[in-house]
Amino acid sequence: MTERPVDLSQLPSNGAPRRSLFSARKFALMASVVAGLGAAVYGFSPQQGPLDVFTSAANAQVNTEVRKVERPIGFADIVERVKPSVISVKINIAAKSSKDDSANKDEDSPFPPGSPMERFFRRFGGPDGLPPGLRGGPRGGRGPVTGQGSGFFISPDGYAVTNNHVVDGADKVEITMEDGKVYTAKVIGTDPRTDLALIKVEGRTDFPFAKLSDSKPRIGDWVLAVGNPFGLGGTVTAGIVSASGRDIGNGPYDDFIQIDAPVNKGNSGGPAFDTNGEVMGVNTAIYSPSGGSVGIAFSIPASTVKSVIAQLKDKGSVSRGWIGVQIQPVTSDIADSLGMKKAEGALVAEPQQNGPAAKAGIQSGDVITAVNGEPVKDAKELARTIGGLAPGAAVKLNVLQKGQDKVINLTLGQLPNTVEAKADPDKEDKGGPTKGTSVPKLGLTVAPANSVAGAGREGVVITEVDPKSAAAERGFKEGDVILEVAGKSVASVGEVREAIDAARTENKNSVLMRVKSGGSSRFVAVPLAKG
């Protein structure tokens, strides 16, 4: 028997509205839901009849398992414990004189033009390039500047940590605690290279303080940012650790923790807490095209804070170890040219004359692979490792020198505070254009350096670069001086060609060159053209 479509118009109505059928259907549907609920609540067994599942053994087991699942835990207890240690930092910078204005082209910026922090905030800061928390009058104004940031006590006697860019140049520093009490603070010391500052509040020995963590945070750990965003007072935001070891172009010691807890202007210098209530880092910068939080913030690790603050407290400044070398990363092309299996370590572009490295026998082209037995991953890690050691310390360096592994011992010097000025070759008289000789396999035209005024006495100077060549892609430009090719010093076009031919005979895919540009040296691996 087959079912036939039902013509609803032919059904007897008995005077009832036609929608009664739909109402009945709706009722039936609701009834089935109720019946289902009833079955779910009471159960039914064909043999035994209704069954109360609330008293059954199976359901008791389910309820027991449900009780074991903990409810989401908030951060209220942690915040209640740590928030009193966080302070608001307010600074005042007196009005600038006309002389000061002429010395600093950008009146709004607290950093010297061209400095690492100025470049960073110009790139990642707000629309005016100012760091989070600092604000002043209109551009070009000479009035006083005020700023607001954050900080936190690290000891009961009033020592507190904040950012260098929050208090740098301040004539007056005031801190406000969570309970509203205001104190005047003194700047004990600052370290622009890590953007840290130590301040001190006198008059009490019972300030609430936070502990710097001894452990390294893991990616994915919870993080709480507490600070003074937009001058609003103590605010708490939560997120996770997104990454570690971030380099934001601030300097050679960059090793930031990246967090996604909302951090805004005014949070600078504030702490980032872990779930143990310990400070994992100091919030110092945000990536903010709009001026507000977009979920990318950077914190200085607690390990760095400890070492820097200890020196600031002891002598008001930071001394770092120094070996006196220009270094660069080991790329895969460079590793291939040097016969290395992995692209690791730090390549010495040039040892500074009379520096600790040069005196110990380190040469251009050496690769430093370990410090005191600890492997060096890259050039940044070498800079951080050496900078974290005290001047005068004895260190043991593992070095790959001309294909041979060596161990070199040296005593660290002290990192100079200033960089020696060097002549700009672009401003020197080169005695007119020099045509030079083409090296087709490289896409370069070169001439002996001693034949071009201002190019020096060593190497060959580049007079022309083929814009479609691999050399152009790797940054070679007119005026650069090639000092070495494949580890051999060159002074003529013939020596350049001989070195290239030797590399091709050894079936190398690229040739390593040491190039002098703008007063500094670097190594560049240039692919060899086939044929």
Side-chain angles (χ1 to χ4, degrees), residues 420-497:
E420 295 181 2
K422 296 182 180 180
D424 185 356
D426 294 332
K427 295 182 180 179
E428 297 180 4
D429 181 15
K430 293 183 171 56
T434 300
K435 185 175 181 180
T437 304
S438 176
V439 186
K441 295 175 182 178
L442 296 179
L444 298 173
T445 300
V446 300
N450 57 16
S451 68
V452 180
R457 298 181 179 179
E458 299 179 344
V460 294
V461 62
I462 299 173
T463 60
E464 187 177 348
V465 182
D466 181 352
K468 298 181 180 180
S469 66
E473 292 178 357
R474 279 153 178 77
F476 284 87
K477 63 182 184 296
E478 183 180 342
D480 288 352
V481 179
I482 300 174
L483 300 173
E484 296 178 4
V485 179
K488 298 178 181 179
S489 299
V490 293
S492 66
V493 178
E495 290 178 348
V496 173
R497 289 175 173 170

Side-chain angles (χ1 to χ4, degrees), residues 109-457:
S109 176
F111 309 114
S115 66
M117 290 305 294
E118 192 272 342
R119 291 196 306 270
F120 175 78
F121 285 113
R122 187 63 57 192
R123 180 180 180 188
F124 295 124
D128 56 1
L130 287 176
L134 292 185
R135 65 175 185 267
R139 290 187 65 85
R142 294 183 176 86
V145 177
T146 63
Q148 290 184 339
S150 305
F152 59 99
F153 286 114
I154 57 171
S155 65
D157 55 351
Y159 283 99
V161 173
T162 185
N163 280 148
N164 170 68
H165 77 256
V166 171
V167 299
D168 187 32
D171 297 297
K172 183 180 180 181
V173 180
E174 287 184 344
I175 69 102
T176 304
M177 298 182 61
E178 185 191 25
D179 58 9
K181 292 182 179 179
V182 179
Y183 297 88
T184 299
K186 176 184 178 182
V187 178
I188 301 299
T190 62
D191 181 40
R193 285 188 171 95
T194 56
D195 196 25
L196 288 170
L198 180 67
I199 61 177
K200 178 74 161 60
V201 179
E202 303 289 353
R204 285 176 56 179
T205 58
D206 61 345
F207 285 107
F209 64 96
K211 180 181 182 298
L212 293 167
S213 176
D214 295 321
S215 59
K216 183 178 179 180
R218 298 179 304 165
I219 297 174
D221 280 350
W222 281 107
V223 58
L224 302 175
V226 185
N228 181 39
F230 305 112
L232 296 174
T235 301
V236 183
T237 55
I240 64 170
V241 175
S242 302
S244 61
R246 287 298 198 213
D247 178 1
I248 62 176
N250 180 42
Y253 308 107
D254 282 10
D255 186 24
F256 292 101
I257 302 168
Q258 180 181 326
I259 64 176
D260 74 347
V263 174
N264 291 285
K265 292 183 178 182
N267 273 107
S268 290
F273 289 101
D274 60 23
T275 52
N276 294 320
E278 297 180 348
V279 178
M280 70 165 64
V282 176
N283 300 323
T284 189
I286 59 174
Y287 174 73
S288 178
S290 63
S293 173
V294 294
I296 300 177
F298 302 97
S299 298
I300 306 165
S303 57
T304 300
V305 178
K306 284 183 179 180
S307 62
V308 170
I309 293 304
Q311 292 195 57
L312 293 179
K313 185 177 180 180
D314 182 47
K315 53 188 178 182
S317 61
V318 177
S319 299
R320 291 181 170 86
W322 174 70
I323 59 176
V325 291
Q326 291 181 11
I327 54 177
Q328 66 181 83
V330 178
T331 64
S332 56
D333 288 340
I334 290 176
D336 179 69
S337 301
L338 295 174
M340 299 174 61
K341 295 180 179 179
K342 293 183 179 180
E344 295 180 345
L347 178 64
V348 177
E350 186 176 359
Q352 184 168 329
Q353 189 175 6
N354 296 323
K359 292 178 179 178
I362 291 179
Q363 305 172 8
S364 296
D366 290 354
V367 178
I368 300 175
T369 58
V371 177
N372 293 331
E374 293 295 325
V376 172
K377 182 180 178 181
D378 52 31
K380 281 285 186 181
E381 186 170 342
L382 175 64
R384 289 193 295 264
T385 301
I386 297 298
L389 299 174
V395 297
K396 180 178 67 175
L397 303 179
N398 290 81
V399 178
L400 179 64
Q401 188 174 86
K402 298 186 184 302
Q404 302 294 321
D405 291 318
K406 291 187 176 182
V407 176
I408 296 179
N409 297 293
L410 57 79
T411 301
L412 296 181
Q414 180 171 334
L415 180 68
N417 290 325
T418 58
V419 179
E420 295 181 2
K422 296 182 180 180
D424 185 356
D426 294 332
K427 295 182 180 179
E428 297 180 4
D429 181 15
K430 293 183 171 56
T434 300
K435 185 175 181 180
T437 304
S438 176
V439 186
K441 295 175 182 178
L442 296 179
L444 298 173
T445 300
V446 300
N450 57 16
S451 68
V452 180
R457 298 181 179 179

